[in-house]
Amino acid sequence: MSTDSTRTAILRAAERLYAERGFGDVTLRDIVAAAEVNLAAVNYHFGSKDELITELFVTRSIATNRERLNELKAAEAAGGGRAPVEDVLRALVGPTVRGCLGPDSQRSDAARFMIRASIEAIPPIRKIKNREIDHLRKFAAALRRALPGKADEEIFWGLHFALAMAHQTVRDSERLLRLSDGVCDLDDVDGVIDRVVNLAALALTATKPAAADKAPARRGGR
Amino acid sequence: MSTDSTRTAILRAAERLYAERGFGDVTLRDIVAAAEVNLAAVNYHFGSKDELITELFVTRSIATNRERLNELKAAEAAGGGRAPVEDVLRALVGPTVRGCLGPDSQRSDAARFMIRASIEAIPPIRKIKNREIDHLRKFAAALRRALPGKADEEIFWGLHFALAMAHQTVRDSERLLRLSDGVCDLDDVDGVIDRVVNLAALALTATKPAAADKAPARRGGR
DNA sequence: TTGCATTTCAAACGTGTGTATGAAACTATC
DNA sequence: GATAGTTTCATACACACGTTTGAAATGCAA
């Protein structure tokens, strides 16, 4: 093999197992069994378990960020340097949702691995995760361009809620599925993305006093 | 002590440590050290580590659900059997948010423990967690009463998004804090709850075609 | 006090984990 | 085909974990 097949076999097996079962439940022995390689190969090729996880996370993190930024740039280029709020949000949450929901064939271990990483926040990952902030700032900036005059506070909350809804939907899709008894269609990936994007956009574009049809926003319950 | 002080010392120490550091990073030896009791006391009083966690989770789960239902019933009683959407949602997300955010003195290990439990989904917890669905159905029913004629699908999505936003906000408040450089005030607990509740209510009450001021909801990105 | 049940304690056990070792197998260059 | 460098392999190590054990300490009724 011209490519180091043992190395990549370990990476693929680890990514798949971690995506399926989480970090806590997967041992090196599980990984090497799935990859059909020797136990010592992990330490030979990666140095340690933590370095294996770190390499996986860094690689996927870069890929995800690039994918998001590509969509953002495409959207902004189409709009002459400014994209509608919806498109900015879609670029932010689309890649992850698309990789985690939908038919099995379309789901990616990579996206589900990243969700696991964001959930369990294992030490080797926690250190790197700080860079995500800088990445998100680029989307905050794009939202500012889309909403001139909007207060920063609102921008950040909108961004946060968009991520929260997308993230939680892919993370615990089972609960929504069971709660709704199948009424909520999580295989309609674009539909899910639209729900998240539209609601977050609503948060960002709605006029301040929130003119809902009834029950004006009241503060300080109980 | 009339109350079994060793037992409760273990429970308190375990709850605090699990809340602070998660299940993966806390060993029985950590717990008994914090509780200042002997290692064997855990197995003597609880049988096993899993049973200790189960007892913690069951106790807190019941308490949380009761707190939520109390608020819901109070709200519905005040409205003659029907509460406004906002109040239903507030009863759902309020207890958790209030227990996890705000000044240290007001934060509770119990609420943060429950968040950890919902994040890490350890085997002993996973089995019990199914009951949460039944609990949430009561809130879905209350939302149906508040929004007669609304499609069930929308009810469930609204409920889901409300939980998603609240949950993610308390779970990763640090990220929002750093992203916004302190602009978003997470110590204003009622303010946070209002944001979540109002946005979720907007999702539930907004007319279907989502008449935002610009960029009509479009389907099928990329 | 005596006797018995409950609780605490130090110490050890068995198991599963990540990691290290040193020899064997393989690959490529001369 | 011999040699040096790389990769694989079976095996073992060291350690931390949850759990068990049996004796000591404590509480409490008669």
Side-chain angles (χ1 to χ4, degrees):
Chain A
M1 283 287 168
S2 67
T3 65
D4 190 331
S5 68
T6 300
R7 240 186 94 95
T8 59
I10 292 172
L11 285 170
R12 284 193 209 289
E15 183 168 59
R16 182 171 61 82
L17 290 179
Y18 283 143
E20 285 171 0
R21 291 156 42 189
F23 295 101
D25 281 352
V26 176
T27 71
L28 284 190
R29 283 170 176 81
D30 292 333
I31 293 171
V32 298
E36 298 183 277
V37 302
N38 188 270
L39 173 59
V42 173
N43 289 277
Y44 177 77
H45 285 286
F46 299 94
S48 71
K49 181 193 185 184
D50 279 6
E51 288 173 90
L52 163 62
I53 294 176
T54 300
E55 171 154 343
L56 263 177
F57 182 71
V58 169
T59 304
R60 293 312 187 189
S61 193
I62 291 171
T64 301
N65 289 353
R66 184 172 42 215
E67 197 176 347
R68 285 173 170 171
L69 283 178
N70 280 345
E71 290 193 28
L72 176 61
K73 282 175 184 167
E76 290 204 316
R82 179 189 298 187
V85 180
E86 284 82 0
D87 290 358
V88 175
L89 293 174
R90 201 181 306 272
L92 181 66
V93 306
T96 298
V97 175
R98 251 179 278 120
C100 291
L101 293 182
D104 281 20
S105 60
Q106 214 172 336
R107 267 186 269 177
S108 77
D109 292 335
R112 286 151 69 214
F113 169 83
M114 289 301 287
I115 290 293
R116 286 285 186 186
S118 84
I119 291 172
E120 302 200 16
I122 264 180
I125 286 177
R126 209 172 309 163
K127 298 171 186 171
I128 314 165
K129 224 179 147 192
N130 297 340
R131 306 180 199 166
E132 195 196 2
I133 303 286
D134 293 324
H135 179 249
L136 294 182
R137 278 192 220 281
K138 296 174 186 167
F139 285 85
L143 287 176
R144 264 191 225 101
R145 286 192 288 274
L147 299 160
K150 199 76 179 176
D152 271 6
E153 186 184 4
E154 304 303 318
I155 299 277
F156 292 128
W157 275 109
L159 196 77
H160 168 74
F161 282 148
L163 280 172
M165 290 186 284
H167 190 109
Q168 181 72 10
T169 301
V170 302
R171 197 170 92 70
D172 209 354
S173 58
E174 185 119 352
R175 185 177 71 185
L176 177 56
L177 217 52
R178 283 229 299 272
L179 173 64
S180 73
D181 215 359
V183 167
C184 295
D185 182 11
L186 286 163
D187 287 334
D188 176 13
V189 180
D190 288 325
V192 171
I193 295 175
D194 281 342
R195 280 187 182 275
V196 170
V197 165
N198 288 334
L199 184 51
L202 208 52
L204 284 164
T205 56
T207 50
K208 200 53 178 299
D213 35 78
K214 57 164 90 172
R218 52 164 249 234
R219 286 287 299 269
R222 115 148 19 261
Chain B
M1 282 288 167
S2 69
T3 65
D4 190 331
S5 68
T6 300
R7 240 187 93 93
T8 59
I10 292 172
L11 284 170
R12 282 193 209 289
E15 182 168 60
R16 182 171 60 83
L17 290 180
Y18 284 142
E20 286 172 0
R21 292 157 40 190
F23 295 101
D25 280 353
V26 176
T27 71
L28 284 188
R29 284 169 174 83
D30 292 334
I31 293 171
V32 298
E36 297 182 275
V37 302
N38 187 272
L39 173 59
V42 173
N43 290 277
Y44 176 78
H45 286 284
F46 299 93
S48 70
K49 182 193 182 184
D50 279 6
E51 289 174 90
L52 164 61
I53 294 176
T54 300
E55 170 153 346
L56 264 176
F57 183 72
V58 170
T59 305
R60 293 313 188 189
S61 193
I62 292 170
T64 302
N65 289 354
R66 184 172 43 217
E67 198 177 346
R68 285 174 170 171
L69 282 178
N70 280 345
E71 290 194 27
L72 175 61
K73 283 176 185 166
E76 291 204 316
R82 180 188 299 188
V85 181
E86 284 82 0
D87 289 359
V88 176
L89 294 173
R90 202 181 305 273
L92 181 67
V93 306
T96 299
V97 174
R98 251 179 279 117
C100 291
L101 293 182
D104 282 20
S105 60
Q106 212 172 336
R107 265 185 274 176
S108 76
D109 291 335
R112 287 153 70 213
F113 169 84
M114 288 301 287
I115 289 293
R116 286 285 187 188
S118 83
I119 290 173
E120 302 199 15
I122 264 179
I125 287 178
R126 210 171 309 163
K127 298 171 187 171
I128 315 164
K129 226 180 147 190
N130 298 340
R131 304 181 199 167
E132 196 197 2
I133 303 285
D134 292 325
H135 179 249
L136 294 182
R137 280 191 219 281
K138 297 175 186 167
F139 284 85
L143 288 176
R144 263 192 225 101
R145 286 192 288 275
L147 298 161
K150 197 76 179 175
D152 271 6
E153 185 184 4
E154 304 303 316
I155 299 276
F156 293 127
W157 275 108
L159 195 79
H160 168 74
F161 283 148
L163 280 172
M165 290 186 284
H167 190 110
Q168 180 72 9
T169 301
V170 302
R171 198 172 89 71
D172 207 356
S173 59
E174 185 119 351
R175 186 178 70 183
L176 177 56
L177 218 52
R178 283 230 299 273
L179 173 65
S180 72
D181 215 359
V183 167
C184 295
D185 182 11
L186 286 163
D187 288 333
D188 176 15
V189 179
D190 288 325
V192 171
I193 294 175
D194 281 343
R195 281 186 180 274
V196 170
V197 165
N198 288 334
L199 185 51
L202 209 52
L204 284 163
T205 56
T207 50
K208 199 55 179 298
D213 36 78
K214 58 165 87 173
R218 53 165 249 234
R219 286 286 300 268
R222 107 137 38 252

